[in-house]
Amino acid sequence: AASAPLLGKRVVITAGGTREPLDPVRYLGNRSSGKQGVALARAAAAAGAEVELIAAHMDVAPPEGVKTARVETALQLRSAALDAAGRADVVIMAAAVADFRPAEQARTKIKKRDDAADPVITLVRNPDILQELVQQRRDSGTGPALIVGFAAETGDSRGDVLEYARQKLERKGCDLLVLNQVGQDLVFGQDRTAVSILHRNGGEPQTFSGTKDEAARAIIASVAEELG
Ligand code: C5P
C-alpha cells in the first residue's frame, strides 16, 4: 500500500552515541543526540514497519510505542545489533559508535594524586559493527535484505564529501549509505539536516535538506523503494 510501504517488514534502527567507560563515573562519549535515529524509527513505524530501536545515549526520548533496547557501550550495541539483525529485513546503523574504547576500565574512580604521574589513557579499537553485519550476512547467506550505513563527512567541496562517502560505501559493503555533510552547525544536535543517499548499485545520489523528520521520511522512502 502506498501509505504503508513497509507493512510487515522488521526494521532495526540503532541510534544515539555510545559511551565508553573510563571508571565508574567517567566515560568517553560523542555529540550524537539520537534525533535522526528517533526520527527514522518514527518514520519507519508510520510506514507500517515493526520497529526495534537500539538506543545508546540520546538527548531525546524514544518514540512512543516503539520497542526499544537501551545500550551504553559499542560492545553492548554490537551484541544487540548482531542479534536483532537475525530477525530483521532492514538494519539502519544511525548510531554514532565510538571507534575506540579505553583499554582498561578502572574499578574505582581515578584519583588525582600529587605524588603520582598524571594518568595516560590507552585506547583500543572497537569492532566496526556495520562491517560485521555485512560480513555476517555474507557468511551465513541469510540476513537483512538491506543494511544501511551512515557517514558524517567534512571536506572542502561537495564533490570531495561525496567521493569520501562513495569510498565508505565500498569499504563497508552496505547497500545504502546516508551521508551527512557536517559543519556550519549542521547535523549534531540540530533539528535540521542535509542528507544524500548513495546506492551501492550506483546511480546519482539523492539529496534532501529539511528537518530530521523530513530526512527520515526520505530515507525510509528510499529503503521501501530498494526493498521493492
Ligand atoms: O567509519 P565511520 O564511523 O564513519 O562509519 C559510520 C557508519 O559505521 C555508521 O553507520 C555507524 O553506525 C557505523 N559504525 C559501526 N561501528 C563502528 C563505527 C561506526 O557500525 N565501530
Side-chain angles (χ1 to χ4, degrees):
S3 60
L6 293 184
L7 195 64
K9 301 292 183 191
R10 284 161 304 183
V11 178
V12 170
I13 299 169
T14 68
T18 65
R19 288 179 164 184
E20 310 296 322
L22 280 160
D23 69 17
V25 297
R26 304 186 181 95
Y27 58 84
L28 294 179
N30 62 66
R31 292 188 192 283
S32 173
S33 65
K35 283 180 183 173
Q36 186 64 79
V38 164
L40 282 164
R42 216 181 284 122
E50 193 185 307
V51 180
E52 228 178 300
L53 180 67
I54 299 172
H57 176 79
M58 309 196 302
D59 294 336
V60 292
E64 209 62 37
V66 167
K67 182 182 170 193
T68 303
R70 306 300 307 226
V71 296
E72 180 98 1
T73 65
L75 292 179
Q76 289 167 1
L77 193 144
R78 172 180 180 271
S79 337
L82 290 176
D83 177 55
R87 49 180 185 274
D89 298 294
V90 181
V91 177
I92 304 179
M93 284 292 302
V97 181
D99 290 321
F100 300 95
R101 67 178 181 277
E104 278 165 42
Q105 183 185 342
R107 246 186 299 279
T108 55
K109 190 178 166 193
I110 300 165
K111 300 268 191 212
K112 49 179 182 286
R113 285 172 37 186
D114 292 333
D115 60 340
D118 292 343
V120 173
I121 298 165
T122 303
L123 301 178
V124 294
R125 232 173 214 256
N126 276 326
D128 189 308
I129 301 159
L130 179 56
Q131 268 174 347
E132 284 191 303
L133 287 166
V134 170
Q135 191 65 45
Q136 177 174 271
R137 178 175 67 176
R138 200 177 289 142
D139 292 345
S140 68
T142 98
L146 221 54
I147 299 176
V148 184
F150 270 70
E153 303 287 347
T154 60
D156 289 335
S157 71
R158 182 91 196 125
D160 279 358
V161 173
L162 279 171
E163 181 49 30
Y164 301 149
R166 175 63 61 194
Q167 287 166 9
K168 184 158 292 179
L169 176 63
E170 291 299 326
R171 193 166 63 246
K172 303 249 184 187
C174 53
D175 306 300
L176 293 180
L177 187 92
V178 181
L179 163 69
N180 279 311
Q181 191 167 352
V182 186
Q184 293 102 41
D185 295 329
L186 275 174
V187 184
F188 290 109
Q190 303 296 309
D191 292 319
R192 296 184 68 79
T193 190
V195 300
S196 298
I197 303 171
L198 288 81
H199 297 248
R200 181 162 56 152
N201 303 327
E204 278 303 296
Q206 305 150 268
T207 298
F208 301 91
S209 59
T211 65
K212 287 187 175 176
D213 279 312
E214 286 163 344
R217 285 195 287 272
I219 294 162
I220 292 302
S222 285
V223 162
E225 195 178 309
E226 205 69 17
L227 280 180

